[in-house]
Amino acid sequence: MSKNQRSHERELDAWLSRTLQSHGEYIEDEGFTDGVMVRLPGHATRPWRWRLGVLFLALLSGLLAMAVVPVQPLVAALASVSVAVPVMPLLQVGGALLASVLLAAGYWIWKEA
Amino acid sequence: MSDAGLIARVMTQQDPHAFRQLVLRHQSSVRRWARRLCDGDNAAADDLAQEVFIKVYRALPTYRGEARFSTWLYRIAFNLAASQKRLARQRWQAVDLEQASEEVEQVTNSMAAGDWADASRDLNSAMETLSQPQQWALRLNLEEDLTQEEVAEVMGIPLGTVKTHIRRGKQALQLLLSDWREVTP
C-alpha cells in the first residue's frame, strides 16, 4: 500500500469517525432509568420484607410484654409516682428520645427510597 | 465520579444511587444499540436495554475492570440480542472474501481530500446499504471508538472477520460516496 493510499485511508477513518459521532442521536431518559431500578433484583421486595419483619417483631414483643408484665399494678404504681414526681422533665427527656427515633427512622426511609 | 468509582460504590455499599448514575450515563448509547439490534422496534429495544442493565447489575461482582465498562455493556447487549432475538451469529461471520482489495485501491486513488465534506449528509444512508455486521463493526469501531479487538469481543466473532467487515464496509462506503460525488454538481 502506497503512502498516498495510507494517507487517504487515515483521512477517511477520521472523517467517518467525526461524522458518525456528530450524527449520533442522544436518547432522552424519559423514565427508562426508573424502569430499570424498579426491576432490579431485590429492590422492590427487600424494604417491604424488612418493614414487615420489624412490624411482626414489634407486635410479638408487645404481646409478650402484655402477657408477662402485670399491667394493672404497674399503671397504678405509675399513677401514684406521677403525682409525687414532677412530670415535665420526664416528658422533655421522652420527647427528645422520640424525636431522635423519628429522625433516625426518617433518615433510614429517605436512604432506602 | 468515574464509572469505576460508581461500580466500586455499588459493590462495596450496595448503593442504588451509584447504579442509577451508571444507568443514566449509559442509557442513551445502550438503547441506541438496542434499537439497531432490534431493527428499529423501539419497544422491543427498550426491553432489551433494560435486560442489559439488569444483567449488568447481577454480573457486577464478576466485572474485573479489564475491559471498558461500555465495551462490557455492548457485549452483554449483543449476547442478549443474539439469544433473545435469535440473531444468527454465524451470519455475522459470513464474509465475501473473493472480491479483491484492488477495488478499494482504485477508489481510494480516485478520491481527493476535500470531497468528503459534501457527502457527509449521505453517510447514514450509505451505511444503510451495508450488511448488518459491516454496519455494526464500523459503528463500534469508528462511532464508539472501540478497537478492532474490542469489536471482535463485543460481537463475539474472530478478529480477522471483524477486520474484513470493516475493510469491506469502508470499501463500499468509498464507492457509494464517490458515485454520489460524481452526480452532485
Side-chain angles (χ1 to χ4, degrees), chain A residues 1-2 4-5 8-9 11-21 23-37 39-41 43 46 110-113, chain B residues 16-17 19-20 23-24 27-28 31-32 35 46-47 49-51 53-54 57-58 105 108-109 111-113 116-117 119-120 123-124 127 139 142-143 145 170 173-174 177:
Chain A
M1 192 184 278
S2 71
N4 196 26
Q5 279 175 307
H8 278 309
E9 222 169 87
E11 204 174 301
L12 173 67
D13 278 3
W15 178 82
L16 282 173
S17 190
R18 236 184 3 255
T19 312
L20 287 172
Q21 283 171 6
H23 282 81
E25 52 156 351
Y26 180 82
I27 301 173
E28 294 296 335
D29 187 79
E30 290 171 341
F32 174 83
T33 300
D34 289 337
V36 172
M37 297 307 290
R39 287 185 60 192
L40 287 184
H43 176 81
R46 196 179 298 151
W110 171 77
K111 203 164 172 264
E112 286 295 307
Chain B
H17 303 291
F19 190 72
R20 189 185 172 78
V23 180
L24 277 170
Q27 62 86 20
S28 177
R31 287 165 80 194
R32 199 167 56 230
R35 286 178 186 186
D46 276 4
D47 282 347
Q50 281 201 351
E51 287 299 325
F53 284 110
I54 289 163
Y57 185 78
R58 286 197 179 117
E105 290 177 19
T108 323
N109 286 336
M111 297 193 76
W116 297 112
S120 67
L123 176 59
N124 280 326
M127 289 289 284
R139 284 190 186 277
L142 297 169
E143 188 178 335
D145 270 339
K170 280 187 207 166
L173 285 179
Q174 282 177 327
L177 297 172

Side-chain angles (χ1 to χ4, degrees), chain A residues 47-95:
Chain A
W48 285 110
R49 269 194 215 144
W50 253 98
R51 284 166 206 168
L52 281 175
V54 168
L55 196 67
F56 176 73
L57 282 176
L59 206 64
L60 199 68
S61 312
L63 287 171
L64 271 174
M66 277 178 72
V68 171
V69 177
V71 180
Q72 278 185 345
L74 196 68
V75 170
L78 275 173
S80 60
V81 167
S82 65
V83 173
V85 176
V87 181
M88 275 313 282
L90 285 174
L91 280 177
Q92 281 168 347
V93 171

